[in-house]
Amino acid sequence: MKHSIPCAFTSIEAVSGGMNQVEETMSCVYKNPNAPIEDRIKDLVSRMTLQEKVGQMTQIELCVATLDDVRNLSIGSMVSGAGKEPLEKAMASDWAETIDRFQQAAVDSRLGIPLAYGIDAVHGNNRFYGATIFPHNIGLGATGDADLAQRIGAAVALEVRASGIHFNFAPCVAVCRDPRWGRCYESFSEDTNIVRKMTSIITGLQGQPPVGHPKGYPFVAGRYNVIACAKHFVGDGGTEKGINEGNTISSYDELESIHMAPYLDCLYKGVSTVMASYSSWNGCKLHAHHFLLTEILKGKLGFKGFLISDWKALDRLSEPRGSNYRRCVYTAINAGIDMVMVPYRYKQFIEDLISLVESGEIQMTRIDDAVERILRVKFVAGLFEYPFSDRSLLDTIGCKSHGSGNEEEEYKNAIMKILALRLHRELAREAVRKSLVLLKNGKNPGKPFLPLEKNAERVLIAGTHANNLGYQCGGWTRYWQGSSGRITTGTTILDAFREVMGEKTEVIYEKYPSPNTLSGQNFSFAIVGVGEEPYAESAGDNSELVIPLNGSELISTIADRIPTLVILISGRPLVIEPWLLEKMDALVVAWLPGTEGRGITDVVFGDYEFEGRLPMTWFRTTEELPINKGDNSCDPLFPLALD
């Protein structure tokens, strides 16, 4: 009698009536790391049930996941939404332990297919206390430094992998054409060429593909890299009036030349996944757009990785949201979505998708195509060989090491941790100083206000953003919408100035200076930090774009009495009235710089030159919007800076 046991090396002994012992060795191609990836995919898919295939297409949220469901349903991926229980206050080591438990459940399933665990580490491993928070993309776009973006990608990959996570939903390669859009800061620029240049961050995240690597085929160099995700395909930065999840109205040629072009660079760099956009193109939602997702991205552009939905995006395919869910599943999967970020109603998703296949409404060939793409990325990323976290990487993110009992080893680990942290924070500091854009320097030509004097006698530091690390970091920091205050470790503007100013300099900080402070002291100069409160996605949509929290009034009050440098903390251009600009002695746009405020003092005191250039056209009034470089009526306050 012959038994077929999947994926095992099995000896079968037949004993009957003096029969000789017969040994049969069965091997699985998909478990052989030396076999060609396409052979491994073909072998594994041939062994999978429909239930297991659908499970691989399902991405579920940590807060509702169970070990039994991950194991028994062959769940393909997990995700942690920003600020969700149970680990929003945990250290990276706690995350690694939790993820490894779910990974063990996946490995213990019938076929042992590992999970790909995903997170939005969009400007550093921004969910974790103590992680290095880099400038948001608009600041990186202001640097125009592709090498810097690549180095940042590599640093982020290390800090993400340290927490046991394999999959980063970054970078956003949207081309933002209207600053009213609530995701403007997630875009590198309004200019397609700048965005294309900064896709070098993918090479940092995933590693450098070898010469001759086929365009569109996913690539991940090794265990110190992550699966990257180019998003949001396509046209999300061009919606009418900058409305998030809105409608981009354009010809195909315009969509291709402005919004699709960066994806070509991503594909050449071996990007492993692409995320579809919530938005629509000429009235058709992207998650339902077979032409763009399947015929163009997978067909014409040759993308061989997998296409993932955005968070609960299938719910948005019907009104009211979440209704007629079976139809939403049918529409998205047939349009070309391979993996669905459910994230909560995964049992219904699995049930509906299986039913749709069994009824013939979705062909098995479509399911097999999706599963092959998902497995291709997992094989390329080495997840079958190295599914679990590498605890040695915890030193890169500031986690507490477990005591080894060996004093010499612990001392060495402590030194390595300090060096790794310092390297990443120095890199973030470099990014800050290269991103700063000097919009005004002095009221009179030939008499610059900057650089400042470190040994000034008395200095006033004021404003809502001068001593608020959460405001400095912006959205997608610890929480989806960001937060206020000391939400992580880092250096505020106030901290940085106090560190740099001379020993005899008196530094006075008042968020809102009193009349007595302004009238009764002889200040050498004032530093006023103002800007936007943190936000993300639709919560950031803004048709007025004035400086929040009475920022203009605060600037005016102080600048009337003291020579003033204004540091604007913002994810986009804001309204600056001519009368207000005239009052300022200097204006520096610091974007959303992250945790390293010393990058600002590096430049304003003259230790480094200003290098940043505007990645967005700075409008005069919101009535002009949208306004972009090359528009016939373009008369901006400050023009887009191009090389």
Side-chain angles (χ1 to χ4, degrees):
M1 184 170 63
K2 193 183 231 181
H3 299 274
S4 178
I5 303 176
C7 305
F9 292 90
T10 310
S11 295
I12 301 172
E13 186 177 0
V15 285
S16 177
M19 290 179 61
N20 293 328
Q21 181 179 10
V22 177
E23 185 176 285
E24 178 181 332
T25 301
M26 300 180 63
S27 63
C28 294
V29 174
Y30 85 86
K31 288 198 169 184
N32 178 4
N34 298 317
I37 285 177
E38 294 303 311
D39 291 348
R40 298 178 76 181
I41 295 169
K42 182 179 180 181
D43 176 64
L44 180 50
V45 171
S46 72
R47 301 172 186 275
M48 297 174 72
T49 65
L50 175 58
Q51 166 73 68
E52 288 166 332
K53 292 175 181 179
V54 169
Q56 285 300 299
M57 297 171 67
T58 309
Q59 185 179 70
I60 67 177
E61 228 285 345
L62 171 65
C63 65
V64 297
T66 69
L67 295 174
D68 285 344
D69 280 348
V70 168
R71 181 187 305 109
N72 298 332
L73 299 178
S74 191
I75 297 298
S77 184
M78 289 178 62
V79 59
S80 285
K84 298 290 184 182
E85 293 281 359
L87 288 174
E88 83 279 11
K89 295 181 180 178
M91 300 295 287
S93 54
D94 301 315
W95 278 85
E97 290 172 7
T98 297
I99 292 169
D100 278 353
R101 285 199 298 273
F102 281 99
Q103 189 68 282
Q104 186 64 61
V107 171
D108 287 343
S109 64
R110 185 179 78 91
L111 295 173
I113 305 174
L115 289 165
Y117 201 104
I119 195 171
D120 285 281
V122 297
H123 65 142
N125 197 1
N126 38 261
R127 280 293 302 278
F128 305 102
Y129 187 89
T132 307
I133 305 300
F134 295 90
H136 267 298
N137 283 358
I138 192 168
L140 298 187
T143 73
D145 190 333
D147 175 71
L148 174 67
Q150 182 173 331
R151 288 185 284 133
I152 288 172
V156 172
L158 280 174
E159 295 200 16
V160 169
R161 288 305 295 257
S163 53
I165 294 170
H166 329 92
F167 185 6
N168 184 10
F169 306 131
C172 176
V173 294
V175 180
C176 178
R177 306 292 283 179
D178 193 323
R180 292 174 289 188
W181 186 36
R183 305 189 83 145
C184 180
Y185 64 77
E186 295 186 52
S187 171
F188 293 111
S189 177
E190 73 177 46
D191 182 75
T192 302
N193 290 329
I194 294 175
V195 177
R196 295 185 68 177
K197 186 177 183 181
M198 302 309 285
T199 59
S200 59
I201 196 169
I202 290 172
T203 304
L205 291 167
Q206 294 191 158
Q208 177 68 57
V211 175
H213 184 80
K215 186 197 78 167
Y217 199 90
F219 177 82
V220 181
R223 298 170 66 188
Y224 297 157
N225 298 98
V226 292
I227 298 164
C229 181
K231 64 183 189 183
H232 308 84
F233 193 83
V234 59
D236 49 336
T239 59
E240 190 175 20
K241 297 182 181 179
I243 296 172
N244 191 49
E245 304 186 24
N247 186 31
T248 297
I249 302 171
S250 75
S251 66
Y252 176 78
D253 288 344
E254 185 179 22
L255 183 76
E256 184 178 52
S257 62
I258 294 175
H259 299 285
M260 201 179 296
Y263 287 91
L264 294 173
D265 299 88
C266 297
L267 296 182
Y268 277 112
K269 292 175 173 66
V271 72
S272 295
T273 71
V274 171
M275 184 181 290
S277 176
Y278 285 134
S279 60
S280 302
W281 178 52
N282 294 335
C284 180
K285 289 184 179 292
L286 263 297
H287 278 80
H289 215 299
H290 182 274
F291 171 70
L292 290 176
L293 299 185
T294 297
E295 295 181 42
I296 298 300
L297 179 61
K298 293 179 176 181
K300 180 180 177 181
L301 302 185
F303 176 56
K304 301 298 182 185
F306 70 79
L307 181 60
I308 186 170
S309 77
D310 208 334
W311 179 274
K312 294 176 72 173
L314 270 62
D315 295 52
R316 289 161 162 82
L317 295 180
S318 62
E319 291 295 339
R321 287 186 179 183
S323 62
N324 198 5
Y325 194 64
R326 190 176 189 273
R327 182 68 184 180
C328 296
V329 174
Y330 165 84
T331 301
I333 300 303
N334 276 332
I337 299 294
D338 302 312
M339 179 179 283
V340 175
M341 194 184 297
V342 180
Y344 303 122
R345 33 195 321 197
Y346 60 94
K347 290 184 179 179
Q348 181 181 352
F349 168 75
I350 290 171
E351 180 182 336
D352 285 344
L353 184 50
I354 289 174
S355 172
L356 286 163
V357 176
E358 290 176 341
S359 69
E361 294 168 84
I362 295 178
Q363 297 299 310
M364 183 61 79
T365 52
R366 171 76 271 269
I367 300 299
D368 285 346
D369 172 64
V371 175
E372 287 169 5
R373 291 170 176 275
I374 292 164
L375 294 177
R376 182 174 295 120
V377 171
K378 290 185 176 184
F379 282 126
V380 163
L383 294 185
F384 281 81
E385 287 67 55
Y386 302 103
F388 299 106
S389 62
D390 182 347
R391 302 304 172 91
S392 69
L393 292 177
L394 289 172
D395 288 341
T396 68
I397 201 172
C399 292
K400 294 179 181 178
S401 299
H402 298 289
S404 64
N406 184 317
E407 185 176 340
E408 182 178 348
E409 181 181 341
E410 289 185 10
Y411 175 77
K412 180 181 177 182
N413 287 340
I415 295 299
M416 292 300 292
K417 178 187 297 185
I418 292 169
L419 290 174
L421 283 170
R422 183 174 296 171
L423 285 171
H424 288 186
R425 293 198 179 277
E426 284 297 321
L427 178 60
R429 181 172 168 178
E430 176 188 349
V432 173
R433 63 175 178 255
K434 288 183 174 180
S435 70
L436 302 179
V437 179
L438 181 62
L439 293 183
K440 180 178 180 179
N441 189 15
K443 293 181 176 179
N444 301 311
K447 191 177 180 182
F449 186 70
L450 302 177
L452 299 175
E453 171 56 53
K454 292 181 181 179
N455 295 310
E457 183 176 342
R458 184 178 292 111
V459 173
L460 174 66
I461 299 181
T464 51
H465 289 60
N467 192 35
N468 194 314
L469 196 60
Y471 283 7
Q472 200 169 290
C473 292
W476 293 107
T477 311
R478 297 296 309 283
Y479 309 97
W480 175 39
Q481 294 291 329
S483 189
S484 176
R486 295 275 176 178
I487 60 174
T488 188
T489 58
T491 304
T492 66
I493 294 171
L494 176 62
D495 296 333
F497 273 86
R498 282 178 169 165
E499 289 177 20
V500 171
M501 298 298 294
E503 292 182 2
K504 296 182 179 180
T505 301
E506 182 181 3
V507 177
I508 296 174
Y509 167 68
E510 292 182 20
K511 183 189 292 186
Y512 300 105
S514 67
N516 288 339
T517 297
L518 293 175
S519 63
Q521 308 222 23
N522 184 25
F523 290 105
S524 302
F525 54 82
I527 308 298
V528 181
V530 295
E532 295 188 294
E533 296 173 279
Y535 56 82
E537 300 189 41
S538 297
D541 284 359
N542 188 334
S543 61
E544 297 180 350
L545 297 178
V546 297
I547 302 174
L549 304 171
N550 297 316
S552 294
E553 291 81 355
L554 181 62
I555 294 168
S556 177
T557 300
I558 296 173
D560 278 342
R561 295 163 177 82
I562 305 169
T564 298
L565 163 63
V566 175
I567 299 175
L568 187 62
I569 305 294
S570 173
R572 53 193 161 191
L574 299 176
V575 173
I576 301 175
E577 299 285 356
W579 62 265
L580 183 63
L581 184 61
E582 186 177 339
K583 288 188 177 187
M584 304 174 192
D585 290 87
L587 172 60
V588 172
V589 182
W591 310 110
L592 297 170
T595 53
E596 306 312 305
R598 280 294 303 274
I600 296 173
T601 51
D602 282 345
V603 180
V604 299
F605 284 106
D607 296 323
Y608 292 84
E609 297 291 332
F610 282 94
E611 296 184 42
R613 308 181 72 180
L614 282 182
M616 299 283 295
T617 300
W618 205 289
F619 58 91
R620 292 182 183 274
T621 67
T622 54
E623 286 73 23
E624 295 177 306
L625 296 175
I627 181 173
N628 300 115
K629 179 74 173 180
D631 292 349
N632 293 331
S633 60
C634 187
D635 181 27
L637 185 63
F638 301 106
L640 172 77
L642 295 175
D643 292 332

